[in-house]
Amino acid sequence: MTATQPAGGERLAVDVRGVKRYYRTPSGDVHAVDGVDLQVSQGRALAIMGPSGGGKSTLIALIGALERATEGTVTVLETDLGRLDDERRAAWRRSNVGFVFQAYDLLPFLTALENVALQAGLARVGPQGCEESRALLRRLELDGHMDKLPDQLSGGQKQRVGIARSLVGKPRLVLADEPTGGLDTATSAAVVRALLDEVRRLGATAIVVTHDPRVAEQFDERIDLRDGRIIGDAVVRI
């Protein structure tokens, strides 16, 4: 399977064609993403690897409607993101995408449960949101930590809360930017395994940026991004 051709008959979750993202600086344009074609089938888990500054974070920001492409088209979950204004992009993100961040981004004055339940409310999960938050935290092995504040949790526990927060709205697409960047090897493997287990339980699609080849081994596919371009023609099936 090439980077522009999914396996026959599979529906696409992500269809990126000829995408470029430039930033203007006093010393000239910076080409963060420089002509990327990428297709990801629904229900697949893709790892994006490559050196720092290679465009990985920018690419998932484009896929997650956090940034706009300078050129090309980004179609995600059958929606052309370039046709949405800012308000509709924000609404689309809330309804469809779960984000996991390296720095956790938990509210420090809320407990683990409250951080997840707050997101459930924002995602309009409904009155059952608190109970769904509890169930998700239990599956992520945080049963005894729900009432703790973030500074009472380990790095791995914080990231599991971050994963729960990203998934409580049942997103169709999960995007994670270096979710194990601050974790040791054993914790990284456990956190990614937990993330993928939950993504697959939902039948969602996952795209994760990582520097760690041991993390990438847990994914269905992998691409390498360098200087804003995919290296080689093939998406590696793992």
Side-chain angles (χ1 to χ4, degrees):
M1 184 176 89
T2 70
T4 56
Q5 291 181 329
E10 293 184 355
R11 297 183 64 183
L12 292 179
V14 175
D15 188 5
V16 171
R17 296 182 183 269
V19 164
K20 300 182 179 182
R21 180 64 169 106
Y22 300 164
Y23 299 98
R24 295 196 179 279
T25 72
S27 58
D29 288 348
V30 174
H31 296 193
V33 173
D34 193 18
V36 165
D37 295 298
L38 175 66
Q39 294 181 327
V40 183
S41 298
Q42 290 185 12
R44 304 295 288 175
L46 171 71
I48 302 178
M49 298 193 68
S52 297
K56 303 184 300 298
S57 295
T58 301
L59 180 57
I60 65 167
L62 292 167
I63 292 170
L66 293 172
E67 296 199 26
R68 291 184 179 274
T70 307
E71 297 181 22
T73 60
V74 181
T75 303
V76 183
L77 304 174
E78 302 180 343
T79 298
D80 183 347
L81 300 183
R83 295 181 178 274
L84 302 182
D85 61 23
D86 289 346
E87 183 175 348
R88 291 169 65 201
R89 286 165 73 86
W92 179 87
R93 286 195 302 271
R94 285 195 301 270
S95 299
N96 294 287
V97 186
F99 293 94
V100 182
F101 304 100
Q102 179 178 348
Y104 319 126
D105 289 351
L106 303 177
L107 294 175
F109 50 84
L110 297 181
T111 65
L113 176 60
E114 289 168 343
N115 266 282
V116 179
L118 175 63
Q119 184 61 38
L122 293 174
R124 298 183 177 86
V125 172
Q128 74 277 19
C130 190
E131 194 50 47
E132 290 194 13
S133 300
R134 288 182 185 277
L136 186 49
L137 287 167
R138 289 190 189 103
R139 287 198 300 275
L140 290 167
E141 301 179 1
L142 290 168
D143 197 17
H145 304 282
M146 295 189 196
D147 295 327
K148 292 182 179 179
L149 296 171
D151 65 4
Q152 297 173 307
L153 301 172
S154 69
Q157 289 167 345
K158 290 177 186 176
Q159 194 56 283
R160 287 172 185 266
V161 176
I163 290 169
R165 184 185 55 188
S166 75
L167 296 175
V168 72
K170 296 182 172 59
R172 298 168 62 195
L173 174 66
V174 177
L175 301 175
D177 193 356
E178 292 287 358
T180 64
L183 307 178
D184 61 60
T185 301
T187 304
S188 294
V191 164
V192 171
R193 188 162 54 248
L195 170 63
L196 292 178
D197 284 348
E198 287 300 316
V199 166
R200 287 165 179 151
R201 189 182 67 83
L202 288 174
T205 303
I207 302 177
V208 175
V209 165
T210 181
H211 284 101
D212 189 341
R214 290 165 296 191
V215 169
E217 288 174 357
Q218 299 188 57
F219 287 75
D220 302 317
E221 300 158 354
R222 186 191 76 219
I223 62 169
D224 293 295
L225 199 67
R226 188 183 301 270
D227 297 326
R229 299 179 179 180
I230 294 175
I231 302 303
D233 295 329
V235 170
V236 180
R237 293 255 186 179
I238 297 174

